[in-house]
Amino acid sequence: MGIELSPPSNYQRLADAPPTIATLCSHSSLQIFHGARTEGFQSLGICQGPLPRFYEAFPLGRPDRFLSVDRYSDLPGRVDELNRANAILVPHGSFVEYIGPEKFQALPVPVFGNRAVIGWESDREKERVWLESAGVRMPERFVDPSEVDGPVIVKYYGAKGGKGFFLAKNRESLREFRATGPHVIQEYVLGTRYYVHFFYSPISQGGYRVGHGSLELLGMDRRDEANIDELYKLGAQEELLKAGIRPTFVVTGNVPVVLRESLLPQVFDVGARIVTRSIELFGGMVGPFCVEGIMTEELVFKVFEISSRIVAGTNLFISGSSYSDLVRPDLSMGRRIAQELKLARELGRLGEVVS
Ligand code: AMP
């Protein structure tokens, strides 16, 4: 038997009556609702203001019901309605961002996965402690600008979409940086970015065993980031700067990628280390997570970030990816979440996947 998470007192209901899968109407909601429907669950979309029309265009990704709030931050005042619907909330990137990490963690509604992970992932310092103590390679970090010996990226804490990040090609150009808030100075890793979509099940048997469960690789993408991804057209960062444009990393979309097959053992090793350490530190991650890293020309995968929930890059693979096709047919991340809830209910082990 695995580790019991700390479920809210009302979660026993989920075992007694069929739960409803609920999430915010944004980000990766279409595949979450589609996955719920495919696995026989009812679904509920939480929206802000009028019911969003775009679902009418996607009948298979439309939730069965909606709960409309004036502002997403009002959700804590509507938890009774969620509990009456026997809801399990599925967190995605925008969900946690719109509600706020603290409010989200405190919601007295059952949540898929271990909500303790949010405290470790939303703080760049704690995240580094977690990953480094797991033995994962990360970009070097410079506490003092005088230590800088190559290109660096300066990142603000909690910066959304890389807004305001600063690139410097050496210690001299770093002097131009004027901080406007808490930030970290990191080695700028030269290489190719990969965003690796994992799913960790603490209850599923077989496959690639980690802890008491198994680790699945369901897809991979690369993010299109404006305006830095267009930089090659201008030749060099200086050209962009001469034009008075600061490089930014605001995500505008995603493209599918696959990794050289010989590099798969390395990314599985990284995923397994992150899960194993999470079990020791806070009872373990459950469900989707994304390892975001850069493969250098020496073929070393350096991890600059981890997202411990479903990422929007999985939207590429609603009918499967080159990897998930080899796990089960038609397997999206949204559907995988619904399958996990179904299995946990059947085994009487919801306490290991819901908190
Ligand atoms: P983050 O907020 O850490 O996810 O970073 C946003 C974007 O900045 C990433 O998607 C990368 O394109 C880029 N980036 C972040 N850290 C590094 C790094 N150490 N070296 C090179 N690029 C980075």
Side-chain angles (χ1 to χ4, degrees):
M1 201 62 155
I3 298 164
E4 285 279 319
L5 307 183
S6 320
S9 54
N10 52 10
Y11 100 115
Q12 178 56 38
R13 271 200 331 246
L14 310 173
D16 300 339
T20 296
I21 292 185
T23 198
L24 238 65
C25 290
S26 176
H27 191 269
S28 42
S29 66
L30 286 165
Q31 62 161 308
I32 294 172
F33 298 138
H34 174 252
R37 170 174 280 118
T38 315
E39 294 300 322
F41 286 98
Q42 286 287 302
S43 58
L44 179 107
I46 303 162
C47 62
Q48 188 169 260
L51 305 192
R53 270 202 67 200
F54 76 98
Y55 289 103
E56 290 164 21
F58 302 110
L60 302 182
R62 193 178 190 278
D64 296 301
R65 273 175 298 156
F66 288 96
L67 171 71
S68 171
V69 291
D70 290 338
R71 278 168 303 141
Y72 282 135
S73 54
D74 296 340
L75 194 63
R78 305 289 294 274
V79 293
D80 288 351
E81 287 157 86
L82 290 170
N83 284 325
R84 270 202 301 279
N86 213 18
I88 299 179
L89 299 177
V90 174
H92 54 53
S94 306
F95 200 150
V96 178
E97 191 191 323
Y98 293 162
I99 310 282
E102 289 85 22
K103 274 191 182 169
F104 182 82
Q105 254 174 319
L107 278 179
V109 182
V111 167
F112 176 67
N114 184 355
R115 58 177 103 194
V117 72
I118 292 171
W120 284 86
E121 177 232 34
S122 56
D123 176 334
R124 285 197 195 265
E125 298 302 322
K126 282 180 89 174
E127 182 184 84
R128 184 168 275 268
V129 169
W130 170 13
L131 298 186
E132 284 192 335
S133 65
V136 170
R137 295 280 295 271
M138 294 189 76
E140 207 181 323
R141 185 179 46 167
F142 301 100
V143 179
D144 193 318
S146 65
E147 297 165 6
V148 167
D149 55 0
V152 288
I153 177 166
V154 186
K155 306 199 237 183
Y156 285 103
Y157 284 13
K160 295 291 170 287
K163 276 229 168 92
F165 283 13
F166 184 88
L167 298 184
K169 59 178 184 192
N170 50 35
R171 197 184 316 154
E172 284 64 49
S173 35
L174 182 61
R175 293 207 183 101
E176 286 168 31
F177 172 68
R178 302 278 169 270
T180 56
H183 58 273
V184 287
I185 305 172
Q186 231 178 49
E187 161 197 7
Y188 184 81
V189 182
L190 285 173
T192 324
R193 289 171 296 125
Y194 293 92
Y195 299 74
V196 184
H197 315 154
F198 282 114
F199 186 97
Y200 178 65
S201 165
I203 57 175
S204 134
Q205 300 299 306
Y208 189 96
R209 307 284 295 146
V210 176
H212 292 284
S214 74
L215 182 66
E216 294 164 15
L217 171 63
L218 296 189
M220 242 179 250
D221 77 298
R222 179 163 312 135
R223 294 183 186 159
D224 275 339
E225 296 176 324
N227 53 26
I228 194 79
D229 281 345
E230 294 299 298
L231 201 57
Y232 65 93
K233 291 186 186 157
L234 284 172
Q237 199 206 161
E238 275 94 273
E239 293 304 313
L240 201 59
L241 290 172
K242 269 188 226 158
I245 302 165
R246 277 244 160 257
T248 62
F249 295 76
V250 177
V251 180
T252 57
N254 304 77
V255 285
V257 290
V258 289
L259 202 58
R260 269 170 67 171
E261 196 167 296
S262 58
L263 295 172
L264 287 179
Q266 192 183 157
V267 296
F268 264 102
D269 178 62
V270 167
R273 285 171 179 277
I274 292 174
V275 171
T276 305
R277 190 71 185 122
S278 77
I279 296 170
E280 293 159 1
L281 288 173
F282 52 85
M285 275 198 299
V286 175
F289 68 102
C290 179
V291 178
E292 310 177 6
I294 297 170
M295 195 61 81
T296 66
E297 63 182 345
E298 292 81 28
L299 304 181
V300 174
F301 191 55
K302 293 197 181 176
V303 176
F304 60 84
E305 179 77 287
I306 163 172
S307 293
S308 53
R309 64 188 76 87
I310 184 168
V311 291
T314 59
N315 290 337
L316 288 162
F317 309 120
I318 292 182
S319 51
S321 76
S322 310
Y323 298 110
S324 71
D325 283 351
L326 306 175
V327 180
R328 273 187 293 284
D330 302 320
L331 186 60
S332 72
M333 193 61 90
R335 185 171 183 190
R336 185 64 190 83
I337 292 170
Q339 287 177 348
E340 188 75 357
L341 284 168
K342 202 161 149 180
L343 179 67
R345 250 184 120 233
E346 281 163 13
L347 298 175
R349 293 174 70 179
L350 273 171
E352 291 171 63
V353 303
V354 170
S355 64

